[in-house]
Amino acid sequence: MRCQNYLNEVFQKCNKSEKLKQGFKLERKHTYTDPDKIYEDWSRRAVVPAAGGGRTVKLTAELIQLVAQYTNAVRDRELDLRGYKIPVIENLGAILDQFDAIDFSDNEIRKLDGFPLLRRLKTLLVNNNRICRIGEGLDQALACLTELILTNSSLVELGDLDPLASLKSLTYLSILRNPVTNKKHYRLYVIYKVPQVRVLDFQKVKLKERQEAEKMFKGKRGAQLAKDISRRSKTFNPGAGLPTDKKKGGPSPGDIEAIKNAIGNASTLAEVEGLKGLLQSGQIPGRE
């Protein structure tokens, strides 16, 4: 009862705050059983920008200090940067390498880079973002990274995944619900290029798959196949002219017929999701 009275008192004071009226919210970092500590923790808490708003939020040292920090279910220290519409990873030097896991879920991040040296970081959650590129040299900053979740982003080409090969400690990787997963030989290519991964898209990599990937990409023919399918997404170069000679047009009658047939043959939700990703990446089912 005493705890509840303390919390009610603090909330009454905070509700009068002008910052709260402007769309801010309180975050609690710790759980206490002592009511005096509860009162002290809540009464001295600063306000942080409410997650999930329409505006993007710059990742600053101040924001990092104010967001939730806690010990998660696997006893790792985790920094919660979920849902702040952050567009760019920056200023992470402010965490002083004090966290085992960082949650960047539900943001607006387009490129996976911008990390300082973080020897302690083991888990990186970046699902539900707009990742379309992965920076080079991640191993220089994230040498101990073992788990990377990139579910539901915008990776399109197999070559865009090549920088992950440098992460020698990476054992758990998810790229589900990215257009690249609909590419031919996707799983075998990732197993070949990033052999240290033991669980891909929440499915254990089997010895048979490793042998098949080795056989497929072995020798000159295999190297040529890997080169042919591992192109990267094109990036815009400032100052470069825009293409003007390409004809604008929709799919051909043959493409439309192929799409209709693929939709008619889809019998499960997984197949429908696969077709959706394939079409979003500009590919025609059965034409690759």
Side-chain angles (χ1 to χ4, degrees):
M1 190 65 177
R2 187 183 175 197
C3 295
Q4 189 61 46
N5 290 338
Y6 274 134
L7 290 176
N8 289 339
E9 180 184 350
V10 174
F11 273 118
Q12 288 174 2
K13 292 179 180 179
C14 289
N15 284 334
K16 297 178 183 179
S17 167
E18 186 61 26
K19 288 186 177 180
L20 277 173
K21 294 177 182 178
Q22 297 174 0
F24 285 70
K25 71 175 184 178
L26 281 171
E27 288 280 357
R28 185 173 63 176
K29 288 185 179 180
H30 309 290
T31 301
Y32 297 118
T33 55
D34 182 359
D36 291 325
K37 289 186 177 181
I38 292 177
Y39 179 77
E40 179 185 358
D41 183 53
W42 280 96
S43 60
R44 68 181 173 80
R45 289 291 294 137
V47 291
V48 298
R55 296 182 301 175
T56 58
V57 177
K58 183 179 175 66
L59 181 55
T60 62
E62 181 182 10
L63 177 63
I64 290 171
Q65 294 299 319
L66 295 178
V67 297
Q69 307 169 14
Y70 52 87
T71 301
N72 62 23
V74 293
R75 297 178 181 269
D76 285 340
R77 288 294 297 164
E78 183 167 330
L79 180 67
D80 187 359
L81 289 165
R82 187 186 188 104
Y84 286 95
K85 304 297 182 184
I86 296 168
V88 178
I89 298 174
E90 56 187 336
N91 297 317
L92 282 182
I95 71 175
L96 302 177
D97 198 14
Q98 294 180 348
F99 296 94
D100 306 290
I102 300 178
D103 189 352
F104 275 114
S105 303
D106 304 316
N107 282 292
E108 303 289 332
I109 300 167
R110 294 179 178 272
K111 185 177 180 181
L112 190 67
D113 70 348
F115 296 95
L117 179 60
L118 299 174
R119 292 191 178 94
R120 182 173 173 177
L121 189 66
K122 297 184 297 183
T123 301
L124 196 56
L125 308 176
V126 205
N127 48 294
N128 300 328
N129 274 269
R130 299 185 179 184
I131 301 292
C132 58
R133 294 180 60 199
I134 298 174
E136 300 285 351
L138 287 179
D139 58 311
Q140 301 297 318
L142 309 176
C144 296
L145 189 70
T146 59
E147 183 177 358
L148 177 60
I149 306 300
L150 294 169
T151 303
N152 194 27
S153 276
S154 302
L155 292 164
V156 175
E157 301 293 345
L158 291 173
D160 296 336
L161 307 177
D162 287 356
L164 297 177
S166 66
L167 296 170
K168 300 304 181 184
S169 297
L170 186 64
T171 52
Y172 298 88
L173 174 64
S174 173
I175 320 175
L176 285 172
R177 299 185 68 184
N178 279 261
V180 69
T181 59
N182 298 300
K183 290 285 188 179
K184 193 175 181 180
H185 307 310
Y186 152 73
R187 186 171 175 88
L188 293 180
Y189 181 83
V190 175
I191 292 172
Y192 174 76
K193 277 290 184 177
V194 197
Q196 61 270 33
V197 169
R198 296 187 312 205
V199 179
L200 175 60
D201 296 338
F202 303 102
Q203 293 184 4
K204 187 175 180 179
V205 177
K206 300 177 181 178
L207 177 60
K208 183 179 178 180
E209 290 179 310
R210 293 193 184 279
Q211 292 172 341
E212 187 177 351
E214 180 68 24
K215 181 179 179 180
M216 177 175 290
F217 297 107
K218 187 178 181 180
K220 291 184 177 180
R221 291 184 63 184
Q224 185 60 43
L225 174 62
K227 183 179 179 180
D228 291 341
I229 66 176
S230 64
R231 64 176 183 175
R232 295 196 179 189
S233 298
K234 294 181 179 179
T235 57
F236 175 72
N237 296 319
L242 295 175
T244 57
D245 56 342
K246 291 186 177 180
K247 296 182 179 179
K248 295 183 179 180
S252 66
D255 293 340
I256 294 175
E257 188 63 29
I259 294 171
K260 288 181 179 180
N261 291 336
I263 294 174
N265 294 330
S267 57
T268 65
L269 181 60
E271 291 177 353
V272 173
E273 287 289 338
L275 284 174
K276 180 181 177 181
L278 199 66
L279 294 172
Q280 286 177 340
S281 65
Q283 302 175 59
I284 304 299
R287 296 298 179 88
E288 192 173 19

